[in-house]
Amino acid sequence: MTGTPVLPSSPFRIEFEVTGVCNLNCVYCYAKPFNKIVPTLERIEYLFKKTKEEANPFEVVILGGEPFTRKDIVDVLEKAMAAFECNRVGVSTNGTILSKLTRDDIDRLRRIVDKGLSIQVTLDSIKPEINDITRGKTIETLEGLETLKNAKIPFTVGIVLTKINEWDVVNTVTWLGNNFPNLVHFNLEVLQPTFILGNRYDEFRLTSKKMREIYGAVKDTLITIGRQDIGVSGVIDNCDNIQKDVDPLIDSYGFKTCLAGLTRAGVCPNGTVTPCTTIRTVNLGNVYFESWTEIWEKAKERFLNLEFGGQCSINKSIRDENPSLIDAKDIPILIRKENQQKVKIAGL
């Protein structure tokens, strides 16, 4: 396809960070440094309704920090399902707090899942000596999975493939597949370069060849243990050297492999919009004070020529001469005092 690409007027996928608080310290976390911002339920509901009306994304994901550190997280998920009733809605959690939910919250969570909510629990290994290196609180996560099992709530397990856990992925998949009939999917995630990981990225990342080998082994294992009902996704090709000398894939529309700022966006706890939750140094606007149309026009203008690689690896993903970047210590941008009155006017 040639000529000017026809881009969506709003993002297909929007990731909402509903809290800036987390109870883990993952070595490759995209959200560090944590900001401790916890927006009220009323503000979150306002963002959901405004986003539905103005952007109507195909998919919405609830993130943090750790979403379940919010005592009202089930309320948040109910609000999300109510606002985006005809859309795909998911929540990603480290699972460590699931076993501490009340019986009422578990029952409500099951009803939300029955309406279409998907749950992903992140776990790099069932062995604490491996998982605790990258994530932590392995036992608590496994207890959380047992809680979902006892409540018969289906879930996905997200596994970030690294040099730390590459030897144990098949073992982890085998054990989980054999012990959790409500496990429906494995998401084998590619390690992303993040601000906090910095120069340690190469210490952890695997080659795409190794990841494809693991992907194939996981598929074979699920057949062996009779769990072909479990789906597998996540591994991408052509990412052997994501930081340099990458020949980007170009799809039929003419833009690069990474679609951040073109079809997907992230929303920080204070309403700041970023191209994705990994690119946290780029401020595209704030949903409290701008429409999604205004925000997305700016995003498309900036990200149509995004290079997949070098700059993104250090969280500087804009190629114009005067990129709108903020210092890492200010991530995410706090709502300025002069805007607080606008929030009051909006009834928030």
Side-chain angles (χ1 to χ4, degrees):
M1 183 174 181
T2 59
T4 303
V6 179
L7 300 176
S9 58
S10 58
F12 293 148
R13 173 187 170 103
I14 299 178
E15 300 166 345
F16 286 94
E17 298 177 7
V18 298
T19 178
V21 175
C22 190
N23 62 335
L24 293 186
N25 192 33
C26 302
V27 297
Y28 43 66
C29 180
Y30 64 84
K32 291 180 184 177
F34 298 119
N35 55 69
K36 308 300 183 183
I37 298 175
V38 183
T40 64
L41 181 62
E42 291 73 22
R43 287 194 177 191
I44 290 176
E45 184 177 19
Y46 172 81
L47 288 184
F48 287 166
K49 290 182 177 179
K50 186 172 189 286
T51 299
K52 172 63 177 180
E53 178 181 344
E54 297 178 353
N56 192 22
F58 174 72
E59 183 177 25
V60 169
V61 182
I62 307 302
L63 303 172
E66 166 50 45
F68 281 81
T69 58
R70 295 186 62 113
K71 295 185 181 301
D72 63 351
I73 183 57
V74 179
D75 295 318
V76 170
L77 297 176
E78 287 177 338
K79 298 294 185 184
M81 290 298 294
F84 303 102
E85 53 186 356
C86 296
N87 311 69
R88 292 172 53 181
V89 180
V91 59
S92 182
T93 173
N94 60 41
T96 59
I97 304 176
L98 294 174
S99 64
K100 300 176 178 63
L101 294 177
T102 66
R103 171 48 55 187
D104 178 63
D105 279 345
I106 288 295
D107 290 341
R108 291 167 63 198
L109 184 61
R110 185 194 302 110
R111 289 194 291 270
I112 301 172
V113 170
D114 288 342
K115 293 179 180 179
L117 177 76
S118 61
I119 299 177
Q120 173 170 291
V121 180
T122 50
L123 179 68
D124 291 345
S125 171
I126 59 172
K127 297 179 179 178
E129 61 267 29
I130 297 177
N131 188 70
D132 285 354
I133 294 176
T134 53
R135 292 189 177 276
K137 297 189 178 182
T138 305
I139 302 302
E140 287 90 334
T141 299
L142 295 176
E143 290 174 348
L145 297 186
E146 285 291 336
T147 297
L148 296 179
K149 176 181 177 179
N150 294 335
K152 298 182 179 180
I153 296 176
F155 66 92
T156 290
V157 168
I159 303 176
V160 178
L161 304 181
T162 68
K163 292 178 181 178
I164 304 299
N165 69 343
E166 61 176 309
W167 316 107
D168 193 58
V169 173
V170 169
N171 173 65
T172 292
V173 166
T174 301
W175 188 84
L176 292 174
N178 283 329
N179 287 277
F180 293 92
N182 55 323
L183 173 58
V184 297
H185 200 91
F186 282 107
N187 184 21
L188 304 181
E189 302 180 21
V190 177
L191 178 69
Q192 299 293 331
T194 62
F195 173 80
I196 202 69
L197 194 57
N199 293 331
R200 300 185 66 197
Y201 177 61
D202 286 328
E203 295 180 22
F204 289 89
R205 71 176 303 276
L206 297 173
T207 65
S208 60
K209 177 181 179 181
K210 173 56 69 174
M211 287 189 287
R212 287 193 296 270
E213 289 176 356
I214 295 173
Y215 178 87
V218 167
K219 294 282 286 187
D220 292 342
T221 297
L222 292 175
I223 294 174
T224 300
I225 66 175
R227 289 302 309 272
Q228 297 96 318
D229 59 302
I230 298 178
V232 185
S233 63
V235 173
I236 62 173
D237 291 339
N238 294 341
C239 56
D240 280 321
N241 193 344
I242 200 170
Q243 290 183 305
K244 60 182 179 180
D245 299 329
V246 175
D247 181 18
L249 299 177
I250 301 178
D251 70 9
S252 59
Y253 285 100
F255 45 74
K256 310 302 183 183
T257 306
C258 179
L259 303 184
L262 294 174
T263 65
R264 61 182 295 185
V267 181
C268 295
N270 65 346
T272 297
V273 178
T274 61
C276 75
T277 50
T278 301
I279 306 175
R280 305 179 64 79
T281 52
V282 180
N283 174 13
L284 296 175
N286 192 296
V287 186
Y288 285 120
F289 315 122
E290 299 173 80
S291 71
W292 271 104
T293 299
E294 294 172 315
I295 293 170
W296 213 239
E297 285 303 312
K298 289 187 292 185
K300 289 191 294 184
E301 180 181 353
R302 291 177 174 180
F303 282 84
L304 182 58
N305 295 314
L306 174 66
E307 287 289 350
F308 182 66
Q311 289 185 318
C312 187
S313 69
I314 55 173
N315 280 341
K316 294 181 179 180
S317 304
I318 303 223
R319 296 204 311 167
D320 57 19
E321 294 181 358
N322 298 298
S324 176
L325 301 176
I326 61 173
D327 193 274
K329 63 182 174 57
D330 297 323
I331 302 173
I333 303 172
L334 300 177
I335 299 178
R336 296 180 179 179
K337 291 183 179 180
E338 58 263 34
N339 285 332
Q340 292 179 346
Q341 185 61 32
K342 296 180 182 179
V343 176
K344 294 180 181 179
I345 293 175
L348 302 174

